[in-house]
Amino acid sequence: ERIEVVPGAASGLYGPGAMGGVINIITKKPLERKIELNSEYGDFATRNFNLNYQDILGKFRYSLSGGYFKTDGYIAVLPGTRKDYDIRRSKENENFNLKLFYDFDDKTQFDFGYRYYNEDVNAGRRYYYGSKELDNLNFGFKKDFEKIIIQANTYFNWDDPSWTYDYSPYTYIYYVNTNPKRDWGLNLQTDFKVSQSNRLISGLDYRWGKINSKDEYKYTAGGRTAGEEVVSKGKQEIINELLTVGKK
């Protein structure tokens, strides 16, 4: 629909990642029934498929999309120095997105979104590989009172990446690293129309997150096996607020 460029600190409006500025991409709402299919093919047997469907039913709008990507990848080690365990850096992922909109009236809107992403990768070694699974939920509400516009957004993230260095004839170490992350955030904005050409904008952003990182080691030598497990935990809370006066 449009792209907004906001220079300067705006963490109170857009979250802690907006310390230096913001490029805000606002996507269009579904305006009609539409089906889009896109496919690509490239080097290293790379293929990419995407499907999108959107429709509108009275005050209710929705869009569904999904994608699949796979590539055999490349061998990062130069010819002549490769070992038999050096293989292609393959990657495979799939994603699904659901977006729902409901217009109570011309000045009151609600939206809901869900995103799923899953990925499997190989790091270029026959026994070294990783995966990532991500789920995201977000809710939004917007109300226009003519003199003031109020917006509220909240989101939940479940992120589960892991890496495995498996047993092989070339190593006696088994190593697994998992880093499950959980995030929750809330963003509030008010846009007050002071006059025809002046506005007063305020915002509050809150974010809470935690991580439980685990490293698991196993060693095999002389017919004996030993192991160790290291767990690291952490939590963080961030609050940002912003008040600006500007001309439109």
Side-chain angles (χ1 to χ4, degrees):
E1 181 175 326
R2 67 183 186 275
I3 298 176
E4 297 177 345
V5 180
V6 184
S11 295
L13 294 178
Y14 297 99
M19 296 179 62
V22 171
I23 299 177
N24 187 25
I25 301 175
I26 301 173
T27 57
K28 290 183 177 181
K29 297 178 182 178
L31 300 176
E32 60 183 358
R33 179 177 296 176
K34 182 187 294 186
I35 300 176
E36 295 178 332
L37 175 62
N38 178 61
S39 62
E40 299 174 332
Y41 190 86
D43 293 338
F44 309 115
T46 301
R47 49 272 200 202
N48 187 28
F49 304 97
N50 292 282
L51 177 64
N52 179 66
Y53 175 79
Q54 64 179 42
D55 202 354
I56 178 171
L57 300 170
K59 296 183 178 182
F60 180 71
R61 311 164 190 259
Y62 66 94
S63 66
L64 297 166
S65 65
Y68 174 77
F69 173 87
K70 186 175 183 179
T71 180
D72 291 348
Y74 60 91
I75 301 178
V77 181
L78 294 173
T81 62
R82 296 174 182 171
K83 306 297 183 182
D84 58 356
Y85 50 78
D86 291 319
I87 61 175
R88 294 180 179 272
R89 297 189 173 211
S90 61
K91 178 185 290 187
E92 182 178 10
N93 63 59
E94 57 267 355
N95 67 83
F96 171 77
N97 298 276
L98 168 66
K99 194 72 175 179
L100 306 176
F101 304 89
Y102 187 80
D103 298 324
F104 294 93
D105 51 50
D106 293 340
K107 300 181 181 297
T108 310
Q109 303 166 0
F110 172 80
D111 64 81
F112 163 80
Y114 170 71
R115 180 188 178 220
Y116 171 79
Y117 179 85
N118 183 68
E119 179 179 73
D120 293 298
V121 297
N122 186 284
R125 294 287 180 95
R126 192 176 302 276
Y127 304 95
Y128 190 27
Y129 48 89
S131 66
K132 178 184 180 72
E133 186 170 352
L134 173 67
D135 291 271
N136 168 266
L137 281 175
N138 58 83
F139 303 85
F141 178 80
K142 181 178 180 180
K143 177 68 176 180
D144 187 349
F145 293 96
E146 295 186 359
K147 275 288 188 179
I148 186 172
I149 299 174
I150 298 176
Q151 296 185 69
N153 297 279
T154 186
Y155 65 86
F156 304 85
N157 289 325
W158 297 266
D159 188 2
D160 294 288
S162 69
W163 280 97
T164 300
Y165 199 96
D166 212 342
Y167 281 125
S168 73
Y170 316 100
T171 177
Y172 299 100
I173 299 176
Y174 171 82
Y175 167 68
V176 177
N177 170 257
T178 55
N179 285 284
K181 305 178 186 72
R182 303 293 181 262
D183 292 288
W184 173 71
L186 175 66
N187 180 270
L188 301 174
Q189 292 185 34
T190 60
D191 185 348
F192 180 67
K193 187 177 180 181
V194 180
S195 64
Q196 193 66 28
S197 58
N198 292 277
R199 310 185 82 88
L200 177 65
I201 300 174
S202 63
L204 176 67
D205 178 78
Y206 172 80
R207 173 180 290 191
W208 175 90
K210 72 174 183 178
I211 181 172
N212 293 317
S213 179
K214 184 173 73 172
D215 296 292
E216 181 183 355
Y217 303 87
K218 290 183 181 180
Y219 315 89
T220 300
R224 301 181 63 183
T225 300
E228 182 179 359
E229 186 176 288
V230 179
V231 177
S232 303
K233 297 183 179 181
K235 291 183 180 180
Q236 185 179 43
E237 289 184 279
I238 300 174
I239 299 177
N240 294 290
E241 61 281 333
L242 177 69
L243 178 65
T244 63
V245 179
K247 291 185 177 181
K248 183 177 180 181

